[in-house]
Amino acid sequence: MDDHTDQTRKPRADAVRNRERVLEAAKAVFSAGGPEASLEAVAKRAGVGIGTLYRHFPTREDLFEAVYRREVEQLSELAEQLKSAKDPVDALRRWLRSGVEFVATKKGMVAALALAVQSGSELHAFSFDRLTRATGSLLERAVAAGEMRADISPEDFLRAFFGICYIHDQPGWQSTALRLLDVFVDGLRVQAASKTKARAARPAKSAAKRRR
């Protein structure tokens, strides 16, 4: 019985490994984008035959959606792991850096995902809910630690994040996005907000002294 069990389990284990290899390869290929982002390129990078790829993902859209869901789930898991990080602001930055990789993958298959991720679709609801909760958990820690302003919602934070990532599609956009995201996060720091209020209050105080 044990031998029979082993024989029946091995194909399933191989299938799981092959599926993961295809998804990991697809992430790399789609992130690069361009004419080279073909299913054949994915199969070659994963080290499997094109037939194996199609057995797991019968259509191009099936593969794109699986990659997208996997990326969202990994970002959610990363947020959970980072909740125990010592520095909550650094944890938020680390999550954002991984988020840029997610956007890079998404950009490589944006046309195919356009219909699947349209507002109101199940996939859109799935991703928005997961990413909002992930962002919210990290923001809450930073706010509770007195490091970040409390007047920005997870939804607004995500909108700003995606807005920065989609500023342009030229080569090197990731480095620009990372730099701007650092500026964005620094602008939400409590220290930065306090300095801004202090600078705004100075002219008013000076005017009051002159009137005296």
Side-chain angles (χ1 to χ4, degrees):
M1 181 178 288
D2 289 342
D3 290 342
H4 175 70
T5 301
D6 289 341
Q7 289 174 1
T8 56
R9 280 179 180 170
K10 283 181 180 178
R12 287 185 299 197
D14 289 344
V16 170
R17 282 195 295 270
N18 283 339
R19 187 177 190 279
E20 284 302 306
R21 285 161 63 186
V22 168
L23 289 174
E24 193 62 32
K27 174 185 174 180
V29 171
F30 296 151
S31 294
E36 302 302 319
S38 64
L39 297 188
E40 289 75 12
V42 172
K44 182 177 180 180
R45 187 180 183 94
V48 301
I50 191 67
T52 298
L53 186 151
Y54 279 120
R55 277 197 296 275
H56 289 286
F57 308 102
T59 69
R60 179 184 295 267
E61 288 71 23
D62 288 334
L63 177 57
F64 286 172
E65 183 172 335
V67 172
Y68 183 82
R69 286 181 179 274
R70 181 173 181 262
E71 291 285 282
V72 171
E73 289 169 353
Q74 288 180 340
L75 278 176
S76 298
E77 292 168 3
L78 177 60
E80 284 298 313
Q81 297 168 12
L82 290 173
K83 282 167 66 174
S84 61
K86 185 177 180 180
D87 185 336
V89 177
D90 181 63
L92 189 58
R93 292 185 199 274
R94 288 165 62 187
W95 190 83
L96 288 172
R97 284 195 288 270
S98 293
V100 170
E101 293 182 14
F102 162 72
V103 172
T105 304
K106 186 170 178 285
K107 280 187 175 186
M109 50 188 185
V110 65
L113 280 171
L115 294 177
V117 193
Q118 64 184 333
S119 180
S121 71
E122 187 276 332
L123 185 58
H124 177 271
F126 163 81
S127 60
F128 186 78
D129 177 66
R130 289 292 189 93
L131 295 179
T132 299
R133 281 190 288 163
T135 305
S137 66
L138 296 175
L139 272 176
E140 285 173 10
R141 282 193 70 233
V143 170
E147 294 287 338
M148 301 282 285
R149 293 169 49 162
D151 58 348
I152 183 168
S153 68
E155 293 83 359
D156 285 342
F157 192 93
L158 274 181
R159 290 187 188 100
F161 165 71
F162 282 114
I164 289 172
C165 288
Y166 280 91
I167 287 176
H168 63 78
D169 291 319
Q170 300 302 315
W173 70 266
Q174 291 97 326
S175 60
T176 300
L178 289 171
R179 178 173 55 81
L180 292 177
L181 285 169
D182 270 337
V183 173
F184 173 59
V185 171
D186 288 340
L188 292 176
R189 299 292 295 269
V190 168
Q191 297 91 328
S194 299
K195 290 176 182 177
T196 300
K197 289 179 180 178
R199 284 196 297 268
R202 282 181 199 136
K205 290 180 180 178
S206 298
K209 287 179 179 179
R210 285 196 297 270
R211 284 197 296 271
R212 290 175 188 171

